[in-house]
């Protein structure tokens, strides 16, 4: 009898979001990160050797408030082959803290830093070759809430875009290995949301109901390509451009440009039921795995939209992975 191979799902669920901070005084917040190297599902029939924070891509969304002291404990799994570290874009420190957080396999180091500026910030491994560690999955985000917190919404989602530089072509089955040649040429075989093809469509689609308000914490791990983030069939009511929370947000935005190592916070209200597609509007990337789905259930709203979709005509059918 052939043995069934179970491929580890390394993709982080988009609703894996810590609760809002709300109104509280600054405090010390401990964060534990574990560097884990593992073989995981890249696509149907294809695996890849990921390097991760806490076994998932992206790493966990961290949530603090301005004025908090962040106590970071980074442990590197004993069976890791590489030194790993973490650079926080939210930290004012040499290397974003990475200068003091280079951890050998089986080791652990800790630092503290103070969250001085509110916003949504990327963190990533910063061990040479830095781009290789990021491309293999070592990136995530930290939200530094302003004093008093963010306005409440019905759903908060965590979505990050990344690139996979595999030695085998897109779609070929088997165990893919990292290609440094493709990395340096900036030619990824795969573009992915939350770590793998189908992570936010087949495996963990986003879900909401008509009338709900949605907030997406969106970032780009990269390491090389910017994103033109767009939700097909929606308009962002509010966008905190580049993840900044100290300047007024933009309103009525169709597509948001987010650079590698950058972020944005996009909010909208869902008015009509159906399937909405998350894309990078460099749409050829959808053919290389970059696609997510937001399922919205609820009553029809003919005052806003009155139409019957033809079979196979929706974006979810054209691009579904």
């Amino acid at each position: 009898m052939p043995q069934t191979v179970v491929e580890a799902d390394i993709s982080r669920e988009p609703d894996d979001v810590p609760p809002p901070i709300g109104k509280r005084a600054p405090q010390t917040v401990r964060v534990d990160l574990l560097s884990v190297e593992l073989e995981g599902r890249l696509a149907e029939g294809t695996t890849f050797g990921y390097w991760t924070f806490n076994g998932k891509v992206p790493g966990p969304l961290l949530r603090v408030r301005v004025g908090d002291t962040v106590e970071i404990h980074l442990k590197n799994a004993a069976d890791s082959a590489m030194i790993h570290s973490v650079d926080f874009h939210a930290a004012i420190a040499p290397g974003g803290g990475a200068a003091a957080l280079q951890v050998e396999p089986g080791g652990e180091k800790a630092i503290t830093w103070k969250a001085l500026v509110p916003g949504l910030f990327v963190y990533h491994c910063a061990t040479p070759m830095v781009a290789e560690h990021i491309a293999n999955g070592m990136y995530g985000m930290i939200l530094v809430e302003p004093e008093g917190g963010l306005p409440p919404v019905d759903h908060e989602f965590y979505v990050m875009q990344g690139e996979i530089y595999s030695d085998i072509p897109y779609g070929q089955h088997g165990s893919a290995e990292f290609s440094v040649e493709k990395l340096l040429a900036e030619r990824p075989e795969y573009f992915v949301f939350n770590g793998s093809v189908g992570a936010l469509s087949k495996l963990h689609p986003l879900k909401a109901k008509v009338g709900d308000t949605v907030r997406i914490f969106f970032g780009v791990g990269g390491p090389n390509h910017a994103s033109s983030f767009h939700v097909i069939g929606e308009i962002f009511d509010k966008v905190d451009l580049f993840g900044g929370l100290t300047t007024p947000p933009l309103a009525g935005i169709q597509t948001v440009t987010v650079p590698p190592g950058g972020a944005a916070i996009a909010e909208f209200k869902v008015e009509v039921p159906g399937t909405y597609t998350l894309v990078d509007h460099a749409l050829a990337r959808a053919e290389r795995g970059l696609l997510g789905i937001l399922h919205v259930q609820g009553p029809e709203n003919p005052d806003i939209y009155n139409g019957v979709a033809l079979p196979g005509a929706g974006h979810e059918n054209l691009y579904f992975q």
Side-chain angles (χ1 to χ4, degrees):
M1 293 285 295
Q3 187 175 11
T4 300
V5 177
V6 178
E7 300 170 353
D9 176 16
I10 56 78
S11 59
R12 185 165 301 277
E13 297 186 13
D15 58 358
D16 187 4
V17 175
I21 298 295
K23 295 180 180 180
R24 66 158 172 79
Q27 63 185 38
T28 297
V29 178
R30 174 168 173 149
V31 174
D32 289 278
L33 293 174
L34 175 65
S35 300
V36 182
E37 302 171 9
L38 76 163
E39 188 85 3
R41 176 196 174 278
L42 172 57
E44 296 303 320
T46 305
T47 61
F48 183 72
Y50 289 92
W51 300 347
T52 72
F53 290 113
N54 294 16
K56 296 285 185 178
V57 180
L61 178 64
L62 310 177
R63 197 164 193 163
V64 300
R65 63 146 285 175
V66 66
D68 279 351
T69 297
V70 186
E71 181 183 328
I72 301 295
H73 291 255
L74 177 64
K75 184 176 181 179
N76 194 354
D79 60 355
S80 292
M82 305 294 295
I83 296 172
H84 294 298
S85 61
V86 59
D87 165 2
F88 288 92
H89 290 188
I92 299 174
L101 284 173
Q102 300 291 327
V103 184
E104 302 216 0
E108 181 176 357
K109 291 183 179 179
I111 63 168
T112 61
W113 54 270
K114 193 164 187 176
L116 298 178
V117 179
L120 180 62
F121 299 91
V122 169
Y123 66 83
H124 59 83
C125 185
T127 301
M129 176 191 316
V130 176
E132 177 182 7
H133 286 249
I134 295 173
N136 285 341
M138 301 196 78
Y139 52 85
M141 290 198 292
I142 180 169
L143 175 66
V144 181
E145 290 194 14
E147 184 177 355
L150 297 176
V153 293
D154 295 307
H155 300 280
E156 292 183 324
F157 295 115
Y158 177 32
V159 178
M160 288 197 77
Q161 180 170 324
E163 304 144 23
I164 303 290
Y165 296 86
S166 62
D167 62 334
I168 61 176
Y170 175 87
Q172 181 175 315
H173 291 178
S175 178
E177 296 184 4
F178 173 75
S179 169
V180 68
E181 292 81 12
K182 291 177 183 177
L183 171 70
L184 296 178
E186 301 186 14
R187 297 189 64 179
E189 289 291 335
Y190 293 81
F191 288 89
V192 292
F193 287 137
N194 286 27
S196 67
V197 176
L200 302 187
S201 55
K202 283 189 175 183
L203 301 181
H204 314 293
L206 289 66
K207 297 178 181 179
K209 295 180 180 179
V210 169
D212 286 350
T213 49
V214 171
R215 174 182 291 138
I216 298 179
F217 298 117
F218 180 77
V220 177
N224 293 320
H225 293 275
S227 176
S228 300
F229 182 58
H230 179 82
V231 178
I232 297 173
E234 268 296 345
I235 299 170
F236 299 138
D237 300 323
K238 174 183 171 183
V239 173
D240 293 298
L241 198 60
F242 303 122
L245 290 171
T246 60
T247 54
L250 302 179
I253 303 300
Q254 60 186 322
T255 300
V256 182
T257 300
V258 181
I265 305 172
E267 299 181 16
F268 56 94
K269 183 177 181 179
V270 286
E271 306 276 7
V272 176
T275 300
Y276 297 80
T277 311
L278 282 66
V279 295
D280 177 340
H281 219 290
L283 286 172
R285 296 174 183 175
E287 308 302 330
R288 289 188 173 270
L290 192 58
L291 181 141
I293 294 293
L294 168 64
H295 291 301
V296 178
Q297 294 184 327
E300 299 289 341
N301 194 342
D303 288 341
I304 292 179
Y305 173 73
N306 187 11
V308 178
L310 297 175
H315 286 91
E316 69 276 12
N317 296 306
L318 292 174
Y319 302 130
F320 194 88
Q321 302 285 339

